[in-house]
Amino acid sequence: MVHRISITLITILATLPLFAQQDLGLERQLLIKTSPLALFEPETIVLQGGLEYFFTSKVSIQSEIGINGGILGIPAGREKNEDFKLWRSKNELKFYSKKYYWGIEFFVVQKDFVRLEDYYRPFMREILYDRAQIDFKVIGGGLKFGKQVYISRNLLSDVFVGLGIRGRYREVEVLELSENQNLGLFENLNPFADRYRNEGWDSVPHFTLGMKVGIIPGKN
């Protein structure tokens, strides 16, 4: 499902040069923004929305916040993750031209959860555990490039790509140590799990590809 969505978004972005960025006519206008693709994230369903305010027809600021059900006390873990709590926020300064917009974004992510049957690497060695408490933080920023167009009188589609850098911080507290400490017998099938197997800070490139829907309140 996620792979198909990514292909669809790339196709949309590839066809953007065929269209001209219309004057959105949104000076001093407030948009309500939703992120429907956040519902399909692999680790947990995220409810994400925000606001975009246009100071002029060419400059706006956008702020978003996203949470999962764990923040509300609803079980939200998947696969090896239990008691999964996630919140994140993102702020952007956007500049619109005749065809596209570009922006500067800053984001923060916080995850707290219990991870099952995995390992981590303190002091240059691997320790296998049955259960561990993970505290995972991300701080990052980058440049964003996209296009926002009307799809009806009061709805807009916002399709974008972005590139930047993110800093990641992890703390791992083992709750139950595994009796098996032979890493050779460990099934390492999830390529994304390695982000939780080190402690402290590191930094990695950040790539984003997505779509949002903008709603103009009060416009019929």
Side-chain angles (χ1 to χ4, degrees):
M1 174 66 74
V2 175
H3 179 67
R4 292 179 180 178
I5 292 172
S6 298
I7 292 176
T8 301
L9 290 174
I10 291 172
T11 302
I12 293 172
L13 285 168
T15 62
L16 287 181
L18 301 177
F19 304 93
Q21 171 81 66
Q22 66 221 70
D23 183 352
L24 298 176
L26 295 173
E27 183 173 354
R28 299 185 182 278
Q29 180 68 57
L30 184 69
L31 298 185
I32 299 172
K33 304 298 284 285
T34 65
S35 300
L37 297 184
L39 299 173
F40 301 99
E41 297 207 7
E43 287 188 315
T44 183
I45 295 173
V46 180
L47 303 175
Q48 184 164 326
L51 300 171
E52 181 177 5
Y53 180 75
F54 282 77
F55 297 101
T56 71
S57 61
K58 297 184 180 296
V59 180
S60 73
I61 187 170
Q62 182 170 295
S63 294
E64 301 175 65
I65 188 166
I67 62 172
N68 79 331
I71 297 293
L72 305 175
I74 302 171
R78 290 179 178 170
E79 296 182 353
K80 290 189 174 186
N81 300 330
E82 292 183 345
D83 300 327
F84 199 99
K85 299 178 179 64
L86 176 148
W87 67 265
R88 64 191 183 194
S89 67
K90 179 183 293 186
N91 295 283
E92 304 173 36
L93 182 61
K94 300 166 74 173
F95 303 91
Y96 287 80
S97 65
K98 291 183 179 180
K99 292 186 177 182
Y100 307 102
Y101 73 79
W102 67 274
I104 303 170
E105 66 174 3
F106 174 79
F107 55 87
V108 177
V109 182
Q110 173 69 55
K111 302 178 187 179
D112 291 292
F113 60 96
V114 173
R115 187 156 179 83
L116 308 178
E117 299 177 348
D118 207 338
Y119 68 92
Y120 77 119
R121 307 182 186 94
F123 313 114
M124 305 297 292
R125 58 187 293 259
E126 289 82 13
I127 295 180
L128 281 73
Y129 58 79
D130 289 335
R131 301 178 74 248
Q133 183 73 42
I134 308 293
D135 178 12
F136 185 81
K137 299 179 176 67
V138 176
I139 299 175
L143 295 177
K144 195 172 178 180
F145 176 78
K147 186 177 184 68
Q148 189 160 237
V149 296
Y150 281 99
I151 53 179
S152 71
R153 182 175 176 84
N154 65 336
L155 292 177
L156 295 98
S157 172
D158 182 353
V159 182
F160 58 86
V161 296
L163 185 64
I165 190 169
R166 58 171 63 197
R168 306 182 301 187
Y169 177 78
R170 283 85 52 163
E171 290 183 3
V172 181
E173 179 186 356
V174 174
L175 303 176
E176 294 180 17
L177 196 64
S178 175
E179 294 183 2
N180 168 34
Q181 291 297 314
N182 184 355
L183 190 60
L185 300 177
F186 187 84
E187 294 185 6
N188 190 4
L189 301 177
N190 185 351
F192 300 105
D194 205 57
R195 72 184 74 177
Y196 305 129
R197 292 174 179 154
N198 297 293
E199 289 192 301
W201 285 98
D202 69 0
S203 60
V204 293
H206 170 72
F207 175 75
T208 182
L209 171 68
M211 181 191 71
K212 301 183 190 300
V213 176
I215 304 168
I216 307 175
K219 187 173 182 178
N220 299 317

